[in-house]
Amino acid sequence: MKNTTYILLCLIILSAFSCTKKDVPHYTISRVTKSDTASKVIVNINGRLTESQLLSIAGKIKADSAALPNLQLCYLLPGHSDKNTGVNNFYAIAKYPNAQIATMQDTLKDADGNIVRLKIIGVSAQTAKKLIGFHPKELKDQNFFGHFIDDNNHTVIIPFRDLTDPKKEYYILELDTTGKVVSATIPTVIHKDGVEKWMVTDRGDYITIKDSVLTQYSIDDMGLPYNSIKSNM
């Protein structure tokens, strides 16, 4: 039984790499977790997709993995890690519930007529473009580290260093979709084990920025990142 399951999971992963249908965006599968009651598939996508595009990927994976029960697909944007199990890391989540528990509200279906419960957590491509374009005029002379879109909160995080200040301090602004500043932080910057950490809360939560990727850490997660965001993605 274990060998059969292993072969099945391998076929699912290989099918993602060999996907050639024109109406299905490119994707890869990095991890499959199977239990007796459900199967969780981590799907890596190249960018923000529409509902119909996400459904087309879901339908393709569903057709290739009919033997997996209660299929759940978790879509990841580039720069995010599949080692994180929290919802903050996913762009969207699609679930295939058992037909027996379908309700009147379950009207969304894939191309084969299977009921799908799709929740898009992240922002659309249009909103992302708008967020990336925010550059407060008061900060025109600052050294920006990038624009990092927080898909969970629908905000853009703009870390920068004030080179006009003798102290050259670091700052972090967070703006909502209207351009309003919803958070302004002056982090304490510490260096430990060769890593520059920006402490953003008194309790010890911090971020790091390396290779245009902002990674957020919670003091509760034992050093594991709960979100990694690629600049201008």
Side-chain angles (χ1 to χ4, degrees):
M1 178 62 71
K2 288 184 178 179
N3 289 337
T4 302
T5 301
Y6 176 77
I7 293 172
L8 176 61
L9 298 184
C10 288
L11 289 174
I12 296 170
I13 294 174
L14 288 174
S15 71
F17 286 94
S18 61
C19 178
T20 57
K21 289 181 66 176
K22 291 183 178 180
D23 56 341
V24 179
H26 177 75
Y27 68 92
T28 59
I29 292 174
S30 58
R31 185 156 55 92
V32 179
T33 305
K34 184 177 181 296
S35 69
D36 293 336
T37 58
S39 301
K40 182 177 180 180
V41 180
I42 305 297
V43 184
N44 300 275
I45 54 179
N46 289 343
R48 290 174 170 78
L49 302 177
T50 63
E51 179 182 276
S52 61
Q53 289 174 318
L54 293 170
L55 283 175
S56 68
I57 292 176
K60 177 69 168 60
I61 296 174
K62 173 68 173 175
D64 292 335
S65 56
L68 294 180
N70 294 344
L71 192 62
Q72 175 176 309
L73 311 176
C74 300
Y75 298 89
L76 276 180
L77 288 172
H80 290 63
S81 172
D82 68 356
K83 294 180 176 62
N84 185 294
T85 57
V87 295
N88 290 340
N89 216 30
F90 302 130
Y91 175 70
I93 297 176
K95 296 181 180 180
Y96 280 93
N98 285 333
Q100 293 85 349
I101 63 173
T103 68
M104 294 283 291
Q105 286 72 39
D106 288 320
T107 59
L108 196 62
K109 297 181 179 181
D110 65 15
D112 294 322
N114 299 302
I115 293 174
V116 186
R117 292 174 180 172
L118 177 64
K119 179 180 181 181
I120 300 178
I121 300 168
V123 302
S124 66
Q126 293 79 10
T127 301
K129 184 177 181 181
K130 177 182 177 182
L131 289 170
I132 291 171
F134 286 152
H135 195 122
K137 61 182 180 181
E138 295 86 359
L139 306 178
K140 64 178 181 178
D141 297 323
Q142 307 306 333
N143 179 28
F144 285 81
F145 288 86
H147 286 61
F148 302 91
I149 297 175
D150 188 325
D151 281 280
N152 189 59
N153 293 315
H154 289 206
T155 58
V156 60
I157 301 170
I158 308 177
F160 65 94
R161 192 173 191 181
D162 188 355
L163 297 180
T164 64
D165 187 319
K167 295 183 179 180
K168 296 182 172 56
E169 289 200 271
Y170 292 91
Y171 297 87
I172 303 172
L173 290 184
E174 189 169 4
L175 284 64
D176 64 14
T177 54
T178 68
K180 178 183 177 182
V181 175
V182 294
S183 175
T185 305
I186 302 177
T188 299
V189 180
I190 65 172
H191 293 81
K192 185 176 182 180
D193 300 326
V195 178
E196 183 177 84
K197 298 180 178 180
W198 298 24
M199 312 305 293
V200 294
T201 68
D202 293 336
R203 64 195 297 269
D205 303 322
Y206 68 94
I207 68 170
T208 62
I209 301 176
K210 183 179 180 181
D211 299 330
S212 298
V213 175
L214 182 151
T215 305
Q216 302 183 75
Y217 296 82
S218 169
I219 193 65
D220 301 320
D221 291 338
M222 303 296 291
L224 296 175
Y226 70 83
N227 205 331
S228 295
I229 310 170
K230 190 173 180 63
S231 178
N232 293 340
M233 181 61 66

